[in-house]
Amino acid sequence: ALPEKKMIFKGLPVNKEDMNKLMLTPLIRYPLPGGSALITFEEAKVAQRIIARREHMVELSCGELEEQDQCRVRVQAVPMEILLPSALEIRLTQSSRSILVSDLPILDISKEALLDKLELFFSKTKNGGSEVESREFLEDSDQVVLTFTRDGVAEQLIEKGHIQLPIGKGKYRVKISPCMSGDISNLQLQPSRCPRTVLLLGIPDVLSEESMRDALEIHFQKGSRGGGEVDALVYVPAGRTGVAVFVEDTG
């Protein structure tokens, strides 16, 4: 449900064909295998240098080992490519039996108790309601979806727009909106390369997780080895798996 606010529009009208477009903010979850690391540099040109060399010999702090060859590991540097949506179409439908209740008061009661109050109120015909089939809080919001057993009830409540909800000794004005659901009818993806991030593969499990992470960062931030300032580094030891989350680069 959108918040109500009085506004004055002084801008220019947009083209009619642009009115149904969506702005997408990517949030990509990518599985990482064991024995790998993701390293993000502050500058894209550093990442490209690392990828161009392909193989890198990373020196380790091996304690008592004396032979220098035993204190190095060979890792592979490859581009980090992910799939991003290039086109998305969503088909919206309005539920004939559900309503969205928002602007709920902040009270010193549990969510379950508040759901009971809502069900009790909206199940009465004198309040314009009917028998409630289900009720649930929407995830990450303070809005509730109520579903009735009969058609037509939701439409009459939506026409009211607002209703006074009595709870305890107080009355609170809550907003009633249509309950919309969306289905993806068309999704097209295209490969995209992360300009500042490099995927390192083939890392053996010879050091502790923290020590290996430090060794990788020390190696790849040295300019003499083609590296540069490291912005972030994630290491997944062999035998384990991880998930990397990619967001839009605003830098």
Side-chain angles (χ1 to χ4, degrees):
L2 297 176
E4 290 189 353
K5 186 176 181 181
K6 292 182 179 180
M7 305 177 75
I8 299 175
F9 292 93
K10 295 183 179 180
L12 298 174
V14 299
N15 294 330
K16 188 176 181 180
E17 57 268 19
D18 295 334
M19 294 179 64
N20 292 324
K21 290 187 176 179
L22 282 174
M23 295 297 294
L24 294 177
T25 302
L27 182 66
I28 309 298
R29 289 175 170 83
Y30 187 91
L32 289 178
S36 69
L38 277 179
I39 181 167
T40 300
F41 297 95
E42 290 188 357
E43 296 183 0
K45 62 181 181 181
V46 177
Q48 303 315 308
R49 284 202 305 263
I50 298 298
I51 293 170
R53 285 188 58 179
R54 184 75 180 181
E55 285 194 354
H56 296 264
M57 296 294 294
V58 179
E59 294 184 2
L60 306 178
S61 177
C62 299
E64 299 177 357
L65 292 179
E66 295 180 358
E67 295 183 25
Q68 196 169 2
D69 289 343
Q70 291 180 288
C71 294
R72 293 182 179 180
V73 294
R74 181 183 285 108
V75 300
Q76 306 287 327
V78 297
M80 185 65 248
E81 292 187 343
I82 56 178
L83 292 175
L84 290 179
S86 58
L88 174 66
E89 294 179 8
I90 297 179
R91 181 176 57 249
L92 293 176
T93 55
Q94 180 177 335
S95 173
S96 62
R97 294 187 178 184
S98 299
I99 60 172
L100 184 69
V101 184
S102 57
D103 293 347
L104 292 169
I106 299 175
L107 302 172
D108 191 20
I109 59 175
S110 67
K111 284 188 174 182
E112 196 64 29
L114 182 56
L115 287 175
D116 289 341
K117 299 287 187 184
L118 289 170
E119 181 176 354
L120 185 62
F121 178 85
F122 283 101
S123 63
K124 296 179 179 179
T125 54
K126 67 177 183 179
N127 297 328
S130 178
E131 182 181 350
V132 176
E133 183 179 279
S134 65
R135 77 274 174 91
E136 64 172 330
F137 265 97
L138 287 182
E139 189 177 352
D140 298 329
S141 77
D142 293 325
Q143 301 175 352
V144 171
V145 174
L146 292 178
T147 302
F148 300 96
T149 57
R150 287 173 37 213
D151 289 328
V153 178
E155 185 178 353
Q156 294 176 4
L157 289 170
I158 291 168
E159 288 180 359
K160 295 182 178 180
H162 292 85
I163 203 164
Q164 293 291 330
L165 177 67
I167 300 179
K169 297 181 180 180
K171 283 191 175 182
Y172 305 91
R173 189 171 184 260
V174 298
K175 184 178 179 181
I176 303 175
S177 308
C179 182
M180 308 295 293
S181 60
D183 296 317
I184 296 177
S185 56
N186 182 29
L187 174 61
Q188 298 177 19
L189 301 172
Q190 65 178 9
S192 178
R193 179 175 294 189
C194 300
R196 299 191 297 120
T197 300
V198 177
L199 176 61
L200 304 176
L201 299 172
I203 305 172
D205 189 15
V206 293
L207 292 179
S208 67
E209 184 175 347
E210 184 177 356
S211 297
M212 181 61 79
R213 188 168 53 244
D214 291 343
L216 291 170
E217 185 166 355
I218 290 171
H219 177 89
F220 285 103
Q221 72 181 1
K222 291 184 177 180
S224 59
R225 292 166 178 159
E229 203 65 38
V230 175
D231 189 20
L233 190 147
V234 177
Y235 165 60
V236 181
R240 292 167 54 184
T241 57
V243 176
V245 179
F246 291 88
V247 297
E248 187 175 9
D249 192 352
T250 57

